[in-house]
Amino acid sequence: MIKIERVAHVVIKVRSLQKSLDFYTRVLGLKVMGTIDPGVVFLSTGRDHHELGIAELGAEAPGGTFYQVGMEHFAFKLRNDDDLIEAYETLLRENIEIAYTVNHGVTKSIYFFDPDGNELEVYADNSPEEVASFENPYGGMEKLAFAPDQPSLMDSIVKAQQSMAPAGAAE
């Protein structure tokens, strides 16, 4: 058996290195740790030599769809609810599209998109008391109280299902 210590990093493919670099450094606060020219940059929170790699494919690279095999999202852990609210306010200020917010039980989470449509999550762990209040601590569906105008997890699921409906289906 392989003895994994933890998940260490993610590498994603992007259309524009500059747009992605701006997003991940200015909006999310990651630091550039190294590069491979002409189109790969390694970024970190400071915990490791890198937690994210971005590799440029070019402006014409096709995007994925909801029902395509591949990565669903990746997440960044925040310290607490105050940092989660601050992250929410930053996303709004930067006009970043929010997919949905949800109190899963184990976490309170905000899901949003990077410039290439990759889905990201920022979350804060809930207290043990709040986790214990959920019948299924991974199955919470309620949106976050501080984001009443944002979609819920269920709204996001319905939107994805509708986007996959066959052309010409009855509405």
Side-chain angles (χ1 to χ4, degrees):
M1 173 189 328
I2 296 171
K3 296 178 178 126
I4 294 172
E5 179 183 344
R6 64 180 162 80
V7 174
H9 67 266
V10 173
V11 177
I12 60 172
K13 297 175 268 186
V14 301
R15 290 181 185 92
S16 167
L17 193 61
Q18 280 313 113
K19 277 185 183 176
S20 293
L21 197 53
D22 177 65
F23 177 82
Y24 285 101
T25 58
R26 189 177 56 77
V27 177
L28 295 185
L30 298 177
K31 306 287 185 265
V32 174
M33 303 303 287
T35 63
I36 300 173
D37 290 331
V40 179
V41 176
F42 299 99
L43 304 157
S44 178
T45 62
R47 183 189 76 183
D48 281 330
H49 45 77
H50 73 286
E51 288 116 359
L52 177 64
I54 54 177
E56 184 175 55
L57 296 180
E60 302 304 316
T65 66
F66 181 80
Y67 285 108
Q68 182 177 14
V69 173
M71 183 180 65
E72 164 62 23
H73 71 272
F74 60 96
F76 297 96
K77 182 178 181 181
L78 306 179
R79 289 178 298 185
N80 54 43
D81 286 357
D82 290 340
D83 286 355
L84 188 64
I85 292 169
E86 184 178 334
Y88 175 70
E89 291 167 352
T90 298
L91 294 170
L92 291 179
R93 200 171 41 253
E94 294 289 337
N95 296 312
I96 306 297
E97 181 185 355
I98 295 175
Y100 59 94
T101 72
V102 62
N103 186 343
H104 286 296
V106 292
T107 65
K108 290 182 180 82
S109 301
I110 302 168
Y111 292 81
F112 57 100
F113 300 101
D114 79 355
D116 288 286
N118 293 305
E119 191 171 303
L120 311 176
E121 174 189 6
V122 288
Y123 72 91
D125 286 337
N126 280 324
S127 69
E129 297 79 20
E130 185 161 0
V131 173
S133 74
F134 281 77
E135 183 179 325
N136 176 351
Y138 292 87
M141 298 287 281
E142 296 299 317
K143 68 171 80 178
L144 300 179
F146 62 77
D149 297 333
Q150 297 301 326
S152 68
L153 174 55
M154 187 54 68
D155 294 334
S156 178
I157 292 168
V158 168
K159 181 180 176 183
Q161 288 173 335
Q162 289 172 341
S163 74
M164 298 310 296
E171 295 186 17

